[in-house]
Amino acid sequence: MDSRVVVQELNRLANPAKAAILRRFFKTGKGEYAEGDRFLGIKVPVLRQVAQEHGDLPLAEVRKLLASGIHEHRLVALEILVYRYESAEEEERGPIVDFYLKNRKHIDNWDLVDLSAPYILGDWLIHHTHDRAILYKLARSARLWDRRIAMVSTYALIRAGDCRDTLRLAKLFIADGHDLMHKATGWMLREVGKKSLKDLIGFLDRNAHIMPRTMLRYAIERLPPARRRHYLSV
């Protein structure tokens, strides 16, 4: 029950050629959003298997993995948290959500956000609507990854049939300056359209003319060609 065992297993699975590709893909160069991040070059399905094999790792040891400078260590830590959350009884889930939020400074790339936020924080908020103020606190953060956690967490709410917070946050993020937030917001709006086309169309009618182009393109991907052309023209 020691994080060192996980580290040793991941070291055995490392693929330097794949790691070089991932460093470029995840923008780890100087001045890029993941500057200095290090990779072992392990595919996500393999990392998920490792996480399930070590799903009982104590949270203190999970924290050590999450604080690592190696991307796959952090990813495995988050997958362990997702596994623990999904396997937990209701009364055990709150502490996992608290742990997730208190250690979110280590959730520092879009894949780490996307594979964890909807399945931990997002699912929690389905059943604890009084806690949704956390979404707006995160949305106001100067930290890119906090804002992305807020937006992508609403994926769980959308799937549960509740699009209200997604639409409110999307309105806030129209003014966001980062392309990764434009992509995340457009993606969530597209998911809103799968549940409620009326809500998506209403949002686009009110806001398409001021939406960043990337956000708009993601949001309208599933619309008929004529309607896509209309929104792009405004």
Side-chain angles (χ1 to χ4, degrees):
M1 305 298 285
D2 190 316
S3 59
R4 289 175 292 184
V5 175
V6 181
V7 169
Q8 290 168 3
E9 186 170 349
L10 293 175
N11 286 339
R12 288 195 298 269
L13 294 167
N15 182 331
K18 178 70 171 175
I21 294 170
L22 291 174
R23 285 195 298 272
R24 292 192 296 273
F25 180 73
F26 282 103
K27 309 297 184 185
T28 63
K30 187 172 179 59
E32 295 182 310
Y33 62 75
E35 179 178 351
D37 204 357
R38 291 179 286 157
F39 287 81
L40 296 175
I42 307 170
K43 294 182 178 179
V44 171
V46 176
L47 295 170
R48 286 192 171 129
Q49 183 176 348
V50 172
Q52 290 193 11
E53 290 169 358
H54 298 278
D56 292 331
L57 196 68
L59 288 181
E61 297 298 310
V62 174
R63 186 182 290 110
K64 293 177 183 178
L65 290 175
L66 198 53
S68 171
I70 295 176
H71 193 91
E72 286 89 346
H73 292 179
R74 304 196 300 282
L75 195 152
V76 164
L78 291 167
E79 286 287 4
I80 289 173
L81 286 181
V82 170
Y83 175 77
R84 290 273 280 278
Y85 179 89
E86 292 177 344
S87 305
E89 299 294 333
E90 180 62 29
E91 63 271 15
E92 299 170 334
R93 288 181 164 183
I96 297 173
V97 176
D98 289 342
F99 178 92
Y100 180 80
L101 290 171
K102 287 176 181 176
N103 291 278
R104 69 183 187 275
K105 68 180 180 181
H106 303 300
I107 305 171
D108 56 359
N109 213 317
W110 59 263
D111 64 322
L112 302 180
V113 172
D114 297 357
L115 65 82
S116 62
Y119 309 106
I120 299 176
L121 179 59
D123 185 83
W124 175 259
L125 294 177
I126 293 172
H127 311 289
H128 300 82
T129 56
H130 60 283
D131 288 343
R132 291 193 188 175
I134 186 61
L135 292 176
Y136 300 90
K137 179 181 178 180
L138 293 170
R140 292 190 294 270
S141 172
R143 185 172 180 267
L144 165 64
W145 309 116
D146 283 354
R147 302 197 304 275
R148 189 164 176 117
I149 288 171
M151 191 73 247
V152 178
S153 289
T154 70
Y155 190 18
L157 305 180
I158 296 167
R159 289 183 298 177
D162 184 353
C163 302
R164 292 169 296 177
D165 289 292
T166 306
L167 296 170
R168 290 168 185 157
L169 290 173
K171 179 67 174 176
L172 292 177
F173 290 138
I174 287 175
D176 197 286
H178 204 290
D179 185 62
L180 286 175
M181 285 308 303
H182 302 166
K183 291 177 179 178
T185 304
W187 168 29
M188 289 301 104
L189 287 171
R190 185 177 70 223
E191 296 303 317
V192 167
K194 294 178 184 178
K195 278 290 185 180
S196 172
L197 184 59
K198 178 182 177 181
D199 281 338
L200 174 60
I201 294 301
F203 184 90
L204 293 171
D205 286 345
R206 293 188 299 273
N207 299 292
H209 64 293
I210 56 171
M211 290 169 66
R213 200 70 165 177
T214 298
M215 184 189 297
L216 179 60
R217 286 189 179 278
Y218 271 61
I220 65 176
E221 270 184 3
R222 293 175 59 88
L223 297 182
R227 186 158 261 174
R228 291 202 303 272
R229 288 194 297 271
H230 165 70
Y231 287 121
L232 287 171
S233 72
V234 301

